[in-house]
Amino acid sequence: MQTQAGDPGAFAHFDLERVDSPAFVVDAAKLRRNCNILADIRDAADIKVLAALKAFSMWSVAPLVGEYLDGTTTSGLWEARLASEFYDGEIATYSAAFKPNELEEICRLSDHVIFNSPGQIGRAQLILEHARITSGDVDIGLRINPMVATGEVPKYDPSAPGSRLGFPLDQLTDEHMEGVDGIHFHNLCEQTFEPLRRTWDRVFDAIEPYFGQLKWINMGGGHHITRADYEREELIEFLKDAKEDSGAEIYLEPGEAIALDAGILVGTLLDTGFNEVPIGISDVSATCHMPDVLEAPYRPAMLGELESEDQIPIRIGGPSCLAGDVIGDYKLPVPAKPGARFAFLDQAHYSMVKTNTFNGVQLPSIWLWDSDTDALECVKRFEYEDFRDRLS
Ligand SMILES: Cc1ncc(COP(=O)(O)O)c(C=O)c1O
């Protein structure tokens, strides 16, 4: 996959020696700018925007996110608890499958509970009725699968053939829609406006008979709205039309767009060597700190990477035992020797939430920097006990 971001922004002037290594550094000013763009669209189109915690759940900045957005979207009980503990606003919870013993608490914490199939809604009826009596109203949503493949990589395309995500739109009947308050579809990944329009064209025809019944339509995430080339004016007009046509409240639930280009992952070269190519072992690991590098796969951009033809790149990998724990070949902006600091760009979303301690590799500490004021604070440092306590 080609990385769609990688603008250094204010990090171009950040001194990497100011933080630990490894460390995530998140720029609060960039987060505010991203949230502001999303809030402007929300206001112009008169819709609601929720922050997808699965992409970025750095809860120390929950008050910042809450200043701009309408709430959060969560993927199950633990994220819903996190949302209710730290974030303001509405909570929408979707999971591909809920465990019956968790559903009552999920209903208590959430405003919208979104199911992946009518079968699950049917089996949950008793729990839903009980939850309504004990904890008040909760809207029931159904995620549909639009069956409009828009992604370049099937792994990231919920409409790919054989997908388990969402109820196939061509199977939807009136019976399935009984008791359903809202429709949810999530069909995009790092995309601009056109695939959303294409998806909606198909969804529109299938759900039009239920306009009037639907309180809301949630158009999921994957909208790269805060990217410079996103067609925001078209999106606003589209959202206004969708709201007017359907008579429903419209929700977007972006994750990446909130933290796009808002964070770096700082690392240090620990050793260098040569085996057909120059090799560097660093304290940043692909498998432990940036698993999407291997999973997507993609090559993260490096802060200040040189483009000179004369320089030979060095292959940077992590300290783990995995032969494939390789991040990529880079022309470092500083001499590639032990102790050299470097940083990968656009690491605030999906990296921080996916870290693990395979091989006992240390977790990056988490820092908050405000490029407007230059204030810098270590929000969290992980210790040996954090590694130990995940095991038994
Ligand atoms: C149901 C749902 N909503 C929202 C999102 C957030 O998407 P993104 O971070 O790409 O904006 C995802 C991501 O996978 C998702 O599955």
Side-chain angles (χ1 to χ4, degrees), residues 127-251:
I127 300 173
L128 295 177
E129 276 162 32
H130 189 250
R132 279 187 168 124
I133 294 164
T134 54
S135 13
D137 212 14
V138 58
D139 279 4
I140 301 306
L142 175 65
R143 176 172 177 174
I144 54 168
N145 184 318
M147 304 173 78
V148 180
T150 63
E152 46 170 315
V153 182
K155 199 191 295 180
Y156 293 108
D157 190 345
S159 275
S163 166
R164 75 193 193 292
L165 300 174
F167 189 64
L169 175 142
D170 63 352
Q171 296 178 28
L172 198 65
T173 64
D174 292 351
E175 207 182 319
H176 296 136
M177 290 298 292
E178 274 170 29
V180 169
D181 302 299
I183 282 288
H184 178 284
F185 61 91
H186 167 79
N187 202 42
L188 310 181
C189 177
E190 299 190 339
Q191 274 155 316
T192 50
F193 173 64
E194 196 278 332
L196 173 61
R197 174 183 291 291
R198 227 169 347 123
T199 303
W200 177 241
D201 283 350
R202 182 80 198 277
V203 170
F204 185 101
D205 292 341
I207 66 170
E208 193 181 6
Y210 310 104
F211 290 174
Q213 166 185 341
L214 295 176
K215 291 194 205 162
W216 46 264
I217 297 167
N218 183 327
M219 300 189 178
H223 321 275
H224 247 196
I225 296 170
T226 48
R227 211 168 84 196
D229 61 343
Y230 193 97
E231 308 87 340
R232 293 179 202 145
E233 289 307 316
E234 273 136 287
L235 176 68
I236 291 168
E237 289 314 308
F238 163 85
L239 293 167
K240 281 186 190 164
D241 288 348
K243 182 167 179 164
E244 195 180 323
D245 292 343
S246 65
E249 184 63 79
I250 305 291
Y251 284 79

Side-chain angles (χ1 to χ4, degrees), residues 51-67 69-74 79-91 258 353:
L53 291 193
K54 73 185 75 184
F56 181 64
S57 35
M58 183 176 164
W59 46 265
S60 52
V61 294
L64 183 162
V65 174
E67 266 176 51
L69 305 186
D70 300 288
T72 51
T73 190
T74 74
E79 279 192 358
R81 282 190 190 167
L82 196 73
S84 96
E85 193 174 342
F86 294 108
Y87 289 80
D88 291 330
E90 297 180 32
I91 301 176
I258 289 162
V353 290

